[in-house]
């Protein structure tokens, strides 16, 4: 029995919600099932909402700081969920993971410096580098029959280009990998030997399915500590992205100092009252219990889609979803152009997906499907897919 009723649907239209209220703009259709942008159709946990309501009993919302309880909550959470020990002096703030990545990039590199990414990857990684006048070096992931791996041989070769940093998604959006300790250790070794800083985006680190286990980059070794940053947030885990709250960790005081200087340059350290309160409420024993139940629910959705597609479209390949609520689906067997595939999902299926190609050229022919919604919606989306293919004679 699920205490938190993830089956309950919530009407999100007309709440200025990106996922629903931008459907007309993004898809030209405001009635399709939105399974695109990475937030969930589940309510933010009740104990988080209550904590915010409690604060609202005080009538003044003036400038505020993050208190001891904020840092203690982060320290508790990282120890409890990831067996990782962090001190409050190693934690800094960012209004979002992407802004944090950008500030770190600006802090540790100069214009024209080269930064590596491993495509297909979360599309704002590209703009975070390019729009700040740094150069992208691509080290595409190896697709081994749907199982993605880092290409270490190619990475070694790229070191000749003297990159300044590498930006990784750990776990990886969109391919769903949870990088293993050995993989991260090999990455650290190569980067350490070549003085390359590792920026590890760990926003999906709580959304990991057993037996996979998230390994925080900085927990790998002293070498990782010397060259690494980690970017985390309760936003994906507890569905509170609208509160613009995330945090940055470096256990190398000099690196953190550079980041903090950039945070100060932009005057972005203030944050917002409700983000801090939400984080404190979420990073708790109750939050852990809620998350465990969420992961069970998400697993059911993931398995349903995998089984449905496996049964009706055996030629379509879904990469193993080790983490995230995003399924990475290879639809090359439909033999459609990317434009046609997108149109097919919008106009024929009636589901708004992310096109694979936005994550890099090697995402062409793929789609990314967000399954963080009540099961009835997931089932409906699959029924609509089957009906559309039958209608079109596939
Ligand atoms: C890998 C990754 N990083 C960052 C973000 C967004 O972070 P924020 O909204 O905190 O900037 C997302 C959202 O989907 C993501 O998947």
């Amino acid at each position: 029995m699920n205490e938190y009723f993830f089956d309950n649907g919530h009407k999100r239209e007309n709440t200025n919600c990106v996922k629903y209220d931008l459907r007309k703009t993004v898809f030209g259709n405001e009635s399709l099932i939105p399974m695109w942008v990475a937030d969930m159709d589940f309510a933010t946990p009740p104990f988080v909402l209550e904590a915010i309501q409690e604060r609202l009993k005080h009538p003044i919302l003036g400038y505020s700081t993050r208190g001891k309880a904020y840092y203690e909550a982060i320290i508790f959470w990282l120890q409890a969920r990831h067996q990782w020990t962090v001190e409050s002096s190693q934690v800094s703030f960012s209004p979002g993971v992407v802004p944090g990545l950008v500030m770190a990039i600006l802090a540790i590199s100069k214009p024209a410096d080269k930064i590596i990414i491993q495509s297909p990857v979360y599309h704002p990684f590209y703009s975070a580098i390019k729009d700040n006048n740094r150069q992208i070096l691509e080290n595409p992931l190896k697709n081994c029959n749907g199982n993605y791996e880092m290409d270490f041989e190619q990475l070694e070769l790229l070191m000749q280009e003297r990159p300044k940093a590498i930006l990784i998604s750990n776990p990886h959006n969109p391919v769903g990998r949870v990088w293993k300790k050995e993989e991260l250790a090999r990455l650290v070794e190569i980067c350490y030997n070549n003085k390359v800083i590792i920026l590890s985006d760990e926003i999906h680190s709580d959304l990991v399915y057993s037996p996979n286990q998230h390994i925080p980059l900085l927990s790998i070794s002293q070498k990782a500590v010397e060259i690494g940053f980690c970017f985390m947030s309760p936003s994906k885990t507890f569905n509170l992205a609208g509160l613009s709250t995330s945090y940055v960790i470096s256990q190398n005081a000099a690196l953190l100092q550079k980041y903090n200087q950039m945070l100060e340059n932009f005057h972005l350290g203030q944050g917002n009252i409700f983000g801090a309160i939400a984080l404190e409420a979420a990073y708790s024993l109750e939050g852990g219990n809620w998350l465990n139940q969420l992961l069970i629910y998400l697993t059911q959705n993931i398995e349903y889609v995998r089984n449905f597609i496996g049964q009706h479209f055996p030629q379509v390949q879904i990469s193993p979803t080790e983490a995230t609520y995003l399924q990475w689906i290879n639809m090359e067997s439909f033999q459609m152009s990317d434009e046609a595939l997108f149109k097919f999902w919008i106009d024929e299926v009636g589901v708004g997906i992310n096109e694979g190609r936005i994550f890099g050229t090697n995402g062409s022919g793929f789609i990314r499907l967000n399954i963080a919604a009540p099961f009835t919606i997931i089932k409906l989306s699959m029924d609509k897919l089957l009906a559309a293919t039958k209608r079109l004679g596939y």
Side-chain angles (χ1 to χ4, degrees), residues 66-86:
R66 287 171 292 279
K68 199 159 169 260
Y70 172 86
Y71 293 98
E72 281 172 358
I74 293 176
I75 290 165
F76 164 78
W77 188 256
L78 298 180
Q79 191 69 56
R81 297 303 296 194
H82 306 304
Q83 295 75 54
W84 182 31
T85 307
V86 167

mmCIF file with all atom_site columns, all heavy atoms in Angstrom, residues 66-86:
data_model
loop_
_atom_site.group_PDB
_atom_site.id
_atom_site.type_symbol
_atom_site.label_atom_id
_atom_site.label_alt_id
_atom_site.label_comp_id
_atom_site.label_asym_id
_atom_site.label_entity_id
_atom_site.label_seq_id
_atom_site.pdbx_PDB_ins_code
_atom_site.Cartn_x
_atom_site.Cartn_y
_atom_site.Cartn_z
_atom_site.occupancy
_atom_site.B_iso_or_equiv
_atom_site.pdbx_formal_charge
_atom_site.auth_seq_id
_atom_site.auth_comp_id
_atom_site.auth_asym_id
_atom_site.auth_atom_id
_atom_site.pdbx_PDB_model_num
ATOM 1   N N   . ARG A 1 66 ? 20.726 31.147 4.989  1.00 0.00 ? 66 ARG A N   1
ATOM 2   C CA  . ARG A 1 66 ? 20.520 29.717 5.211  1.00 0.00 ? 66 ARG A CA  1
ATOM 3   C C   . ARG A 1 66 ? 21.173 29.370 6.547  1.00 0.00 ? 66 ARG A C   1
ATOM 4   O O   . ARG A 1 66 ? 22.362 29.616 6.748  1.00 0.00 ? 66 ARG A O   1
ATOM 5   C CB  . ARG A 1 66 ? 21.129 28.911 4.059  1.00 0.00 ? 66 ARG A CB  1
ATOM 6   C CG  . ARG A 1 66 ? 20.328 29.012 2.772  1.00 0.00 ? 66 ARG A CG  1
ATOM 7   C CD  . ARG A 1 66 ? 21.027 28.410 1.597  1.00 0.00 ? 66 ARG A CD  1
ATOM 8   N NE  . ARG A 1 66 ? 22.208 29.180 1.223  1.00 0.00 ? 66 ARG A NE  1
ATOM 9   C CZ  . ARG A 1 66 ? 22.201 30.294 0.489  1.00 0.00 ? 66 ARG A CZ  1
ATOM 10  N NH1 . ARG A 1 66 ? 21.053 30.770 0.038  1.00 0.00 ? 66 ARG A NH1 1
ATOM 11  N NH2 . ARG A 1 66 ? 23.318 30.925 0.210  1.00 0.00 ? 66 ARG A NH2 1
ATOM 12  N N   . GLY A 1 67 ? 20.380 28.816 7.433  1.00 0.00 ? 67 GLY A N   1
ATOM 13  C CA  . GLY A 1 67 ? 20.881 28.572 8.783  1.00 0.00 ? 67 GLY A CA  1
ATOM 14  C C   . GLY A 1 67 ? 21.544 27.217 8.939  1.00 0.00 ? 67 GLY A C   1
ATOM 15  O O   . GLY A 1 67 ? 21.727 26.467 7.966  1.00 0.00 ? 67 GLY A O   1
ATOM 16  N N   . LYS A 1 68 ? 21.893 26.919 10.198 1.00 0.00 ? 68 LYS A N   1
ATOM 17  C CA  . LYS A 1 68 ? 22.594 25.670 10.526 1.00 0.00 ? 68 LYS A CA  1
ATOM 18  C C   . LYS A 1 68 ? 21.777 24.447 10.066 1.00 0.00 ? 68 LYS A C   1
ATOM 19  O O   . LYS A 1 68 ? 22.335 23.475 9.541  1.00 0.00 ? 68 LYS A O   1
ATOM 20  C CB  . LYS A 1 68 ? 22.774 25.648 12.058 1.00 0.00 ? 68 LYS A CB  1
ATOM 21  C CG  . LYS A 1 68 ? 23.817 24.718 12.558 1.00 0.00 ? 68 LYS A CG  1
ATOM 22  C CD  . LYS A 1 68 ? 24.258 25.149 13.973 1.00 0.00 ? 68 LYS A CD  1
ATOM 23  C CE  . LYS A 1 68 ? 25.104 24.069 14.606 1.00 0.00 ? 68 LYS A CE  1
ATOM 24  N NZ  . LYS A 1 68 ? 24.369 23.230 15.531 1.00 0.00 ? 68 LYS A NZ  1
ATOM 25  N N   . ALA A 1 69 ? 20.445 24.542 10.254 1.00 0.00 ? 69 ALA A N   1
ATOM 26  C CA  . ALA A 1 69 ? 19.588 23.390 9.932  1.00 0.00 ? 69 ALA A CA  1
ATOM 27  C C   . ALA A 1 69 ? 19.671 23.042 8.443  1.00 0.00 ? 69 ALA A C   1
ATOM 28  O O   . ALA A 1 69 ? 19.538 21.874 8.054  1.00 0.00 ? 69 ALA A O   1
ATOM 29  C CB  . ALA A 1 69 ? 18.144 23.707 10.312 1.00 0.00 ? 69 ALA A CB  1
ATOM 30  N N   . TYR A 1 70 ? 19.901 24.043 7.622  1.00 0.00 ? 70 TYR A N   1
ATOM 31  C CA  . TYR A 1 70 ? 20.009 23.815 6.178  1.00 0.00 ? 70 TYR A CA  1
ATOM 32  C C   . TYR A 1 70 ? 21.229 22.931 5.873  1.00 0.00 ? 70 TYR A C   1
ATOM 33  O O   . TYR A 1 70 ? 21.137 21.916 5.176  1.00 0.00 ? 70 TYR A O   1
ATOM 34  C CB  . TYR A 1 70 ? 20.113 25.174 5.486  1.00 0.00 ? 70 TYR A CB  1
ATOM 35  C CG  . TYR A 1 70 ? 20.431 25.134 4.009  1.00 0.00 ? 70 TYR A CG  1
ATOM 36  C CD1 . TYR A 1 70 ? 19.419 24.987 3.072  1.00 0.00 ? 70 TYR A CD1 1
ATOM 37  C CD2 . TYR A 1 70 ? 21.749 25.257 3.556  1.00 0.00 ? 70 TYR A CD2 1
ATOM 38  C CE1 . TYR A 1 70 ? 19.704 24.965 1.714  1.00 0.00 ? 70 TYR A CE1 1
ATOM 39  C CE2 . TYR A 1 70 ? 22.044 25.229 2.200  1.00 0.00 ? 70 TYR A CE2 1
ATOM 40  C CZ  . TYR A 1 70 ? 21.022 25.087 1.286  1.00 0.00 ? 70 TYR A CZ  1
ATOM 41  O OH  . TYR A 1 70 ? 21.300 25.055 -0.058 1.00 0.00 ? 70 TYR A OH  1
ATOM 42  N N   . TYR A 1 71 ? 22.353 23.305 6.446  1.00 0.00 ? 71 TYR A N   1
ATOM 43  C CA  . TYR A 1 71 ? 23.586 22.537 6.192  1.00 0.00 ? 71 TYR A CA  1
ATOM 44  C C   . TYR A 1 71 ? 23.494 21.156 6.831  1.00 0.00 ? 71 TYR A C   1
ATOM 45  O O   . TYR A 1 71 ? 23.949 20.157 6.266  1.00 0.00 ? 71 TYR A O   1
ATOM 46  C CB  . TYR A 1 71 ? 24.807 23.311 6.696  1.00 0.00 ? 71 TYR A CB  1
ATOM 47  C CG  . TYR A 1 71 ? 25.028 24.554 5.879  1.00 0.00 ? 71 TYR A CG  1
ATOM 48  C CD1 . TYR A 1 71 ? 24.571 25.796 6.315  1.00 0.00 ? 71 TYR A CD1 1
ATOM 49  C CD2 . TYR A 1 71 ? 25.626 24.480 4.627  1.00 0.00 ? 71 TYR A CD2 1
ATOM 50  C CE1 . TYR A 1 71 ? 24.722 26.933 5.540  1.00 0.00 ? 71 TYR A CE1 1
ATOM 51  C CE2 . TYR A 1 71 ? 25.782 25.609 3.839  1.00 0.00 ? 71 TYR A CE2 1
ATOM 52  C CZ  . TYR A 1 71 ? 25.330 26.833 4.307  1.00 0.00 ? 71 TYR A CZ  1
ATOM 53  O OH  . TYR A 1 71 ? 25.471 27.942 3.518  1.00 0.00 ? 71 TYR A OH  1
ATOM 54  N N   . GLU A 1 72 ? 22.884 21.113 8.020  1.00 0.00 ? 72 GLU A N   1
ATOM 55  C CA  . GLU A 1 72 ? 22.754 19.809 8.694  1.00 0.00 ? 72 GLU A CA  1
ATOM 56  C C   . GLU A 1 72 ? 21.890 18.860 7.870  1.00 0.00 ? 72 GLU A C   1
ATOM 57  O O   . GLU A 1 72 ? 22.151 17.663 7.814  1.00 0.00 ? 72 GLU A O   1
ATOM 58  C CB  . GLU A 1 72 ? 22.153 20.005 10.091 1.00 0.00 ? 72 GLU A CB  1
ATOM 59  C CG  . GLU A 1 72 ? 23.208 20.488 11.067 1.00 0.00 ? 72 GLU A CG  1
ATOM 60  C CD  . GLU A 1 72 ? 22.636 20.881 12.425 1.00 0.00 ? 72 GLU A CD  1
ATOM 61  O OE1 . GLU A 1 72 ? 21.402 20.811 12.613 1.00 0.00 ? 72 GLU A OE1 1
ATOM 62  O OE2 . GLU A 1 72 ? 23.438 21.269 13.282 1.00 0.00 ? 72 GLU A OE2 1
ATOM 63  N N   . ALA A 1 73 ? 20.866 19.419 7.232  1.00 0.00 ? 73 ALA A N   1
ATOM 64  C CA  . ALA A 1 73 ? 19.986 18.567 6.409  1.00 0.00 ? 73 ALA A CA  1
ATOM 65  C C   . ALA A 1 73 ? 20.770 17.988 5.228  1.00 0.00 ? 73 ALA A C   1
ATOM 66  O O   . ALA A 1 73 ? 20.638 16.798 4.902  1.00 0.00 ? 73 ALA A O   1
ATOM 67  C CB  . ALA A 1 73 ? 18.787 19.382 5.920  1.00 0.00 ? 73 ALA A CB  1
ATOM 68  N N   . ILE A 1 74 ? 21.591 18.802 4.591  1.00 0.00 ? 74 ILE A N   1
ATOM 69  C CA  . ILE A 1 74 ? 22.394 18.304 3.459  1.00 0.00 ? 74 ILE A CA  1
ATOM 70  C C   . ILE A 1 74 ? 23.369 17.232 3.947  1.00 0.00 ? 74 ILE A C   1
ATOM 71  O O   . ILE A 1 74 ? 23.498 16.165 3.336  1.00 0.00 ? 74 ILE A O   1
ATOM 72  C CB  . ILE A 1 74 ? 23.155 19.476 2.776  1.00 0.00 ? 74 ILE A CB  1
ATOM 73  C CG1 . ILE A 1 74 ? 22.154 20.415 2.095  1.00 0.00 ? 74 ILE A CG1 1
ATOM 74  C CG2 . ILE A 1 74 ? 24.202 18.959 1.796  1.00 0.00 ? 74 ILE A CG2 1
ATOM 75  C CD1 . ILE A 1 74 ? 22.763 21.660 1.471  1.00 0.00 ? 74 ILE A CD1 1
ATOM 76  N N   . ILE A 1 75 ? 24.036 17.511 5.056  1.00 0.00 ? 75 ILE A N   1
ATOM 77  C CA  . ILE A 1 75 ? 25.017 16.559 5.589  1.00 0.00 ? 75 ILE A CA  1
ATOM 78  C C   . ILE A 1 75 ? 24.327 15.236 5.939  1.00 0.00 ? 75 ILE A C   1
ATOM 79  O O   . ILE A 1 75 ? 24.818 14.150 5.605  1.00 0.00 ? 75 ILE A O   1
ATOM 80  C CB  . ILE A 1 75 ? 25.732 17.176 6.817  1.00 0.00 ? 75 ILE A CB  1
ATOM 81  C CG1 . ILE A 1 75 ? 26.637 18.314 6.333  1.00 0.00 ? 75 ILE A CG1 1
ATOM 82  C CG2 . ILE A 1 75 ? 26.514 16.128 7.605  1.00 0.00 ? 75 ILE A CG2 1
ATOM 83  C CD1 . ILE A 1 75 ? 27.124 19.232 7.433  1.00 0.00 ? 75 ILE A CD1 1
ATOM 84  N N   . PHE A 1 76 ? 23.172 15.333 6.574  1.00 0.00 ? 76 PHE A N   1
ATOM 85  C CA  . PHE A 1 76 ? 22.394 14.133 6.930  1.00 0.00 ? 76 PHE A CA  1
ATOM 86  C C   . PHE A 1 76 ? 22.049 13.339 5.677  1.00 0.00 ? 76 PHE A C   1
ATOM 87  O O   . PHE A 1 76 ? 22.258 12.126 5.593  1.00 0.00 ? 76 PHE A O   1
ATOM 88  C CB  . PHE A 1 76 ? 21.102 14.537 7.664  1.00 0.00 ? 76 PHE A CB  1
ATOM 89  C CG  . PHE A 1 76 ? 20.092 13.429 7.710  1.00 0.00 ? 76 PHE A CG  1
ATOM 90  C CD1 . PHE A 1 76 ? 20.230 12.383 8.608  1.00 0.00 ? 76 PHE A CD1 1
ATOM 91  C CD2 . PHE A 1 76 ? 19.010 13.411 6.817  1.00 0.00 ? 76 PHE A CD2 1
ATOM 92  C CE1 . PHE A 1 76 ? 19.302 11.336 8.625  1.00 0.00 ? 76 PHE A CE1 1
ATOM 93  C CE2 . PHE A 1 76 ? 18.096 12.373 6.830  1.00 0.00 ? 76 PHE A CE2 1
ATOM 94  C CZ  . PHE A 1 76 ? 18.239 11.331 7.737  1.00 0.00 ? 76 PHE A CZ  1
ATOM 95  N N   . TRP A 1 77 ? 21.535 14.032 4.682  1.00 0.00 ? 77 TRP A N   1
ATOM 96  C CA  . TRP A 1 77 ? 21.035 13.357 3.475  1.00 0.00 ? 77 TRP A CA  1
ATOM 97  C C   . TRP A 1 77 ? 22.157 12.645 2.715  1.00 0.00 ? 77 TRP A C   1
ATOM 98  O O   . TRP A 1 77 ? 22.019 11.492 2.292  1.00 0.00 ? 77 TRP A O   1
ATOM 99  C CB  . TRP A 1 77 ? 20.352 14.389 2.574  1.00 0.00 ? 77 TRP A CB  1
ATOM 100 C CG  . TRP A 1 77 ? 19.642 13.784 1.410  1.00 0.00 ? 77 TRP A CG  1
ATOM 101 C CD1 . TRP A 1 77 ? 20.054 13.757 0.111  1.00 0.00 ? 77 TRP A CD1 1
ATOM 102 C CD2 . TRP A 1 77 ? 18.383 13.089 1.441  1.00 0.00 ? 77 TRP A CD2 1
ATOM 103 N NE1 . TRP A 1 77 ? 19.131 13.104 -0.676 1.00 0.00 ? 77 TRP A NE1 1
ATOM 104 C CE2 . TRP A 1 77 ? 18.099 12.686 0.111  1.00 0.00 ? 77 TRP A CE2 1
ATOM 105 C CE3 . TRP A 1 77 ? 17.472 12.776 2.453  1.00 0.00 ? 77 TRP A CE3 1
ATOM 106 C CZ2 . TRP A 1 77 ? 16.941 11.978 -0.218 1.00 0.00 ? 77 TRP A CZ2 1
ATOM 107 C CZ3 . TRP A 1 77 ? 16.319 12.074 2.115  1.00 0.00 ? 77 TRP A CZ3 1
ATOM 108 C CH2 . TRP A 1 77 ? 16.071 11.684 0.804  1.00 0.00 ? 77 TRP A CH2 1
ATOM 109 N N   . LEU A 1 78 ? 23.265 13.333 2.563  1.00 0.00 ? 78 LEU A N   1
ATOM 110 C CA  . LEU A 1 78 ? 24.364 12.743 1.783  1.00 0.00 ? 78 LEU A CA  1
ATOM 111 C C   . LEU A 1 78 ? 24.952 11.533 2.505  1.00 0.00 ? 78 LEU A C   1
ATOM 112 O O   . LEU A 1 78 ? 25.357 10.550 1.876  1.00 0.00 ? 78 LEU A O   1
ATOM 113 C CB  . LEU A 1 78 ? 25.439 13.793 1.486  1.00 0.00 ? 78 LEU A CB  1
ATOM 114 C CG  . LEU A 1 78 ? 24.936 14.966 0.628  1.00 0.00 ? 78 LEU A CG  1
ATOM 115 C CD1 . LEU A 1 78 ? 26.052 15.967 0.376  1.00 0.00 ? 78 LEU A CD1 1
ATOM 116 C CD2 . LEU A 1 78 ? 24.365 14.468 -0.700 1.00 0.00 ? 78 LEU A CD2 1
ATOM 117 N N   . GLN A 1 79 ? 24.950 11.597 3.828  1.00 0.00 ? 79 GLN A N   1
ATOM 118 C CA  . GLN A 1 79 ? 25.447 10.454 4.604  1.00 0.00 ? 79 GLN A CA  1
ATOM 119 C C   . GLN A 1 79 ? 24.437 9.299  4.518  1.00 0.00 ? 79 GLN A C   1
ATOM 120 O O   . GLN A 1 79 ? 24.801 8.154  4.247  1.00 0.00 ? 79 GLN A O   1
ATOM 121 C CB  . GLN A 1 79 ? 25.639 10.883 6.077  1.00 0.00 ? 79 GLN A CB  1
ATOM 122 C CG  . GLN A 1 79 ? 26.387 9.867  6.926  1.00 0.00 ? 79 GLN A CG  1
ATOM 123 C CD  . GLN A 1 79 ? 27.851 9.759  6.521  1.00 0.00 ? 79 GLN A CD  1
ATOM 124 O OE1 . GLN A 1 79 ? 28.567 10.751 6.511  1.00 0.00 ? 79 GLN A OE1 1
ATOM 125 N NE2 . GLN A 1 79 ? 28.280 8.566  6.169  1.00 0.00 ? 79 GLN A NE2 1
ATOM 126 N N   . ALA A 1 80 ? 23.167 9.627  4.729  1.00 0.00 ? 80 ALA A N   1
ATOM 127 C CA  . ALA A 1 80 ? 22.143 8.570  4.789  1.00 0.00 ? 80 ALA A CA  1
ATOM 128 C C   . ALA A 1 80 ? 21.918 7.916  3.427  1.00 0.00 ? 80 ALA A C   1
ATOM 129 O O   . ALA A 1 80 ? 21.803 6.696  3.330  1.00 0.00 ? 80 ALA A O   1
ATOM 130 C CB  . ALA A 1 80 ? 20.828 9.165  5.308  1.00 0.00 ? 80 ALA A CB  1
ATOM 131 N N   . ARG A 1 81 ? 21.866 8.719  2.375  1.00 0.00 ? 81 ARG A N   1
ATOM 132 C CA  . ARG A 1 81 ? 21.512 8.154  1.065  1.00 0.00 ? 81 ARG A CA  1
ATOM 133 C C   . ARG A 1 81 ? 22.736 7.685  0.291  1.00 0.00 ? 81 ARG A C   1
ATOM 134 O O   . ARG A 1 81 ? 22.656 6.774  -0.514 1.00 0.00 ? 81 ARG A O   1
ATOM 135 C CB  . ARG A 1 81 ? 20.773 9.184  0.198  1.00 0.00 ? 81 ARG A CB  1
ATOM 136 C CG  . ARG A 1 81 ? 19.453 9.669  0.698  1.00 0.00 ? 81 ARG A CG  1
ATOM 137 C CD  . ARG A 1 81 ? 18.392 8.652  0.968  1.00 0.00 ? 81 ARG A CD  1
ATOM 138 N NE  . ARG A 1 81 ? 17.874 7.886  -0.143 1.00 0.00 ? 81 ARG A NE  1
ATOM 139 C CZ  . ARG A 1 81 ? 16.747 7.150  -0.065 1.00 0.00 ? 81 ARG A CZ  1
ATOM 140 N NH1 . ARG A 1 81 ? 16.019 7.124  1.033  1.00 0.00 ? 81 ARG A NH1 1
ATOM 141 N NH2 . ARG A 1 81 ? 16.340 6.421  -1.092 1.00 0.00 ? 81 ARG A NH2 1
ATOM 142 N N   . HIS A 1 82 ? 23.847 8.371  0.489  1.00 0.00 ? 82 HIS A N   1
ATOM 143 C CA  . HIS A 1 82 ? 25.011 8.074  -0.367 1.00 0.00 ? 82 HIS A CA  1
ATOM 144 C C   . HIS A 1 82 ? 26.276 7.698  0.409  1.00 0.00 ? 82 HIS A C   1
ATOM 145 O O   . HIS A 1 82 ? 27.351 7.602  -0.184 1.00 0.00 ? 82 HIS A O   1
ATOM 146 C CB  . HIS A 1 82 ? 25.291 9.278  -1.286 1.00 0.00 ? 82 HIS A CB  1
ATOM 147 C CG  . HIS A 1 82 ? 24.090 9.696  -2.092 1.00 0.00 ? 82 HIS A CG  1
ATOM 148 N ND1 . HIS A 1 82 ? 23.418 8.834  -2.926 1.00 0.00 ? 82 HIS A ND1 1
ATOM 149 C CD2 . HIS A 1 82 ? 23.404 10.868 -2.166 1.00 0.00 ? 82 HIS A CD2 1
ATOM 150 C CE1 . HIS A 1 82 ? 22.395 9.455  -3.485 1.00 0.00 ? 82 HIS A CE1 1
ATOM 151 N NE2 . HIS A 1 82 ? 22.362 10.695 -3.031 1.00 0.00 ? 82 HIS A NE2 1
ATOM 152 N N   . GLN A 1 83 ? 26.133 7.556  1.722  1.00 0.00 ? 83 GLN A N   1
ATOM 153 C CA  . GLN A 1 83 ? 27.273 7.187  2.582  1.00 0.00 ? 83 GLN A CA  1
ATOM 154 C C   . GLN A 1 83 ? 28.476 8.091  2.301  1.00 0.00 ? 83 GLN A C   1
ATOM 155 O O   . GLN A 1 83 ? 29.605 7.640  2.160  1.00 0.00 ? 83 GLN A O   1
ATOM 156 C CB  . GLN A 1 83 ? 27.671 5.699  2.382  1.00 0.00 ? 83 GLN A CB  1
ATOM 157 C CG  . GLN A 1 83 ? 26.610 4.697  2.809  1.00 0.00 ? 83 GLN A CG  1
ATOM 158 C CD  . GLN A 1 83 ? 25.459 4.610  1.811  1.00 0.00 ? 83 GLN A CD  1
ATOM 159 O OE1 . GLN A 1 83 ? 25.688 4.386  0.642  1.00 0.00 ? 83 GLN A OE1 1
ATOM 160 N NE2 . GLN A 1 83 ? 24.244 4.821  2.275  1.00 0.00 ? 83 GLN A NE2 1
ATOM 161 N N   . TRP A 1 84 ? 28.172 9.353  2.185  1.00 0.00 ? 84 TRP A N   1
ATOM 162 C CA  . TRP A 1 84 ? 29.218 10.322 1.834  1.00 0.00 ? 84 TRP A CA  1
ATOM 163 C C   . TRP A 1 84 ? 29.270 11.402 2.911  1.00 0.00 ? 84 TRP A C   1
ATOM 164 O O   . TRP A 1 84 ? 28.249 12.007 3.235  1.00 0.00 ? 84 TRP A O   1
ATOM 165 C CB  . TRP A 1 84 ? 28.879 10.930 0.466  1.00 0.00 ? 84 TRP A CB  1
ATOM 166 C CG  . TRP A 1 84 ? 29.886 11.905 -0.050 1.00 0.00 ? 84 TRP A CG  1
ATOM 167 C CD1 . TRP A 1 84 ? 31.234 11.908 0.180  1.00 0.00 ? 84 TRP A CD1 1
ATOM 168 C CD2 . TRP A 1 84 ? 29.633 13.028 -0.903 1.00 0.00 ? 84 TRP A CD2 1
ATOM 169 N NE1 . TRP A 1 84 ? 31.834 12.943 -0.480 1.00 0.00 ? 84 TRP A NE1 1
ATOM 170 C CE2 . TRP A 1 84 ? 30.868 13.643 -1.153 1.00 0.00 ? 84 TRP A CE2 1
ATOM 171 C CE3 . TRP A 1 84 ? 28.472 13.564 -1.479 1.00 0.00 ? 84 TRP A CE3 1
ATOM 172 C CZ2 . TRP A 1 84 ? 30.984 14.772 -1.955 1.00 0.00 ? 84 TRP A CZ2 1
ATOM 173 C CZ3 . TRP A 1 84 ? 28.595 14.682 -2.286 1.00 0.00 ? 84 TRP A CZ3 1
ATOM 174 C CH2 . TRP A 1 84 ? 29.840 15.278 -2.522 1.00 0.00 ? 84 TRP A CH2 1
ATOM 175 N N   . THR A 1 85 ? 30.459 11.612 3.454  1.00 0.00 ? 85 THR A N   1
ATOM 176 C CA  . THR A 1 85 ? 30.610 12.581 4.537  1.00 0.00 ? 85 THR A CA  1
ATOM 177 C C   . THR A 1 85 ? 31.061 13.925 3.980  1.00 0.00 ? 85 THR A C   1
ATOM 178 O O   . THR A 1 85 ? 32.092 14.007 3.297  1.00 0.00 ? 85 THR A O   1
ATOM 179 C CB  . THR A 1 85 ? 31.662 12.062 5.557  1.00 0.00 ? 85 THR A CB  1
ATOM 180 O OG1 . THR A 1 85 ? 31.287 10.747 5.937  1.00 0.00 ? 85 THR A OG1 1
ATOM 181 C CG2 . THR A 1 85 ? 31.743 12.964 6.771  1.00 0.00 ? 85 THR A CG2 1
ATOM 182 N N   . VAL A 1 86 ? 30.275 14.940 4.302  1.00 0.00 ? 86 VAL A N   1
ATOM 183 C CA  . VAL A 1 86 ? 30.554 16.292 3.798  1.00 0.00 ? 86 VAL A CA  1
ATOM 184 C C   . VAL A 1 86 ? 30.470 17.252 4.984  1.00 0.00 ? 86 VAL A C   1
ATOM 185 O O   . VAL A 1 86 ? 29.719 17.012 5.934  1.00 0.00 ? 86 VAL A O   1
ATOM 186 C CB  . VAL A 1 86 ? 29.484 16.655 2.723  1.00 0.00 ? 86 VAL A CB  1
ATOM 187 C CG1 . VAL A 1 86 ? 29.495 18.116 2.383  1.00 0.00 ? 86 VAL A CG1 1
ATOM 188 C CG2 . VAL A 1 86 ? 29.698 15.826 1.473  1.00 0.00 ? 86 VAL A CG2 1
#
